[in-house]
Amino acid sequence: MGMQTVLLVEDEESFIDALTVGLKKEGFRVEVARDGMEALTKFDTTQPDLVLLDVMLPKISGIDVCRQLRKKTQVPIIMVTAKGAEIDTVVGLEVGADDYITKPYRLRELVARMRAVLRRVSNESTTTVADLDGNTLIVGEVILDPDQHKVLVRGSEVSMPLKEFELLHLLLANAGRVLPRETLIDRVWGTDYVGDTKTLDVHIKRLRAKVEDDPATPSRIVTIRGLGYKFERSKA
C-alpha cells in the first residue's frame, strides 16, 4: 500500500505544526485546511484517504463539513472535539463521522484510531456483506438482500450506509436472540476497534429511524438492558 493522505482540518497552528510533523513520521502524507470552506475545496483536489476534522472551525463548522462530505463520499472521518463536549460527539456521529477523539490527545492514540478506521475500510473493499450469509433475510416487514446491498421495509427500499447495513444484517441473521454490545462492536467494527461505544448506540438510533413504525418506542430493534440488542421476530 502506498503512502496514505490525511486531510487535517484544524485552525490552531500549534496543533497543525505538531500533527503535521508527527503524522509524517508515522508515514502519512498531510494536507492542511484551516477552515471549513477550505476543507471542502481541498477534499476535492487532494482526494484524501482519511479526514481528521476539528468541530470548531471558522466559516463552516466541522459538523456541517462532515454532513456535506457524507453526501458524496464514504471516506473515513474522525472528528476532533473539545474536552467534555459530548453533544458535539453525538451530533458528529449522527451526521456520519466514523470515530471521534477528544483534545488533548496523544499522537499514539490518534494514529491507532486512524489505522483502525483505515483497516476497516480496506477490509470492506475486499469482503462483501454477502460473505456473512449469502441469502436474503426476511424478518416480518424487513427484507435484506446482501448480494445487492438492498433493504426493503414494508415494501419500500431504504438507503443504508455500509455500517448500518452490516449491523442490520447481523441483527436479522440472529433475530430473536440477544446480541451483546461487545459482539455487535466486534463483528461490525472489528476486534481492534478502540473508539467509544456510543458509535453503536448512534447506529442503532439510525436503524430504528428507518425500520420502526415509531422510533421513539421501538418494537423491532429492542434494547435488552445490561446486555445488548435484539431484533424481534414479530412486532410486539
Side-chain angles (χ1 to χ4, degrees), residues 51-68:
V51 179
L52 188 60
L53 179 62
D54 193 54
V55 171
M56 300 296 293
L57 293 170
K59 298 185 180 180
I60 303 175
S61 74
I63 297 295
D64 288 332
V65 170
C66 184
R67 184 180 287 112
Q68 291 192 44

Side-chain angles (χ1 to χ4, degrees), residues 61-214:
S61 74
I63 297 295
D64 288 332
V65 170
C66 184
R67 184 180 287 112
Q68 291 192 44
L69 289 179
R70 274 295 168 259
K71 292 178 180 178
K72 61 182 179 181
T73 181
Q74 290 302 310
V75 165
I77 298 173
I78 298 179
M79 302 290 293
V80 180
T81 70
K83 187 174 183 180
E86 183 174 348
I87 184 65
D88 288 341
T89 299
V90 173
V91 173
L93 292 173
E94 286 182 342
V95 298
D98 295 271
D99 198 0
Y100 77 94
I101 192 166
T102 302
K103 290 181 179 177
Y105 51 79
R106 293 178 299 176
L107 180 64
R108 181 177 297 178
E109 179 188 4
L110 173 63
V111 170
R113 292 195 181 195
M114 290 169 59
R115 287 181 171 151
V117 169
L118 289 166
R119 276 197 300 272
R120 292 198 298 273
V121 171
S122 177
N123 290 339
E124 287 158 8
S125 68
T126 57
T127 305
T128 64
V129 179
D131 289 339
L132 297 176
D133 185 300
N135 299 315
T136 297
L137 297 172
I138 303 174
V139 182
E141 297 174 303
V142 180
I143 301 173
L144 183 146
D145 183 345
D147 295 303
Q148 298 186 48
H149 192 93
K150 183 182 292 186
V151 176
L152 300 177
V153 180
R154 295 179 292 279
S156 299
E157 186 169 352
V158 177
S159 175
M160 250 175 225
L162 184 59
K163 286 300 175 202
E164 290 179 37
F165 187 90
E166 289 183 337
L167 182 57
L168 181 62
H169 186 277
L170 187 57
L171 289 165
L172 290 177
N174 293 275
R177 294 174 53 195
V178 179
L179 293 178
R181 295 174 61 85
E182 295 78 12
T183 298
L184 291 167
I185 291 171
D186 287 352
R187 292 284 298 277
V188 177
W189 281 271
T191 54
D192 59 350
Y193 180 67
V194 293
D196 195 290
T197 57
K198 288 191 184 75
T199 300
L200 173 61
D201 300 326
V202 169
H203 280 71
I204 289 289
K205 181 179 178 180
R206 290 178 189 164
L207 283 180
R208 283 172 170 163
K210 296 176 179 180
V211 307
E212 297 282 357
D213 295 325
D214 180 3

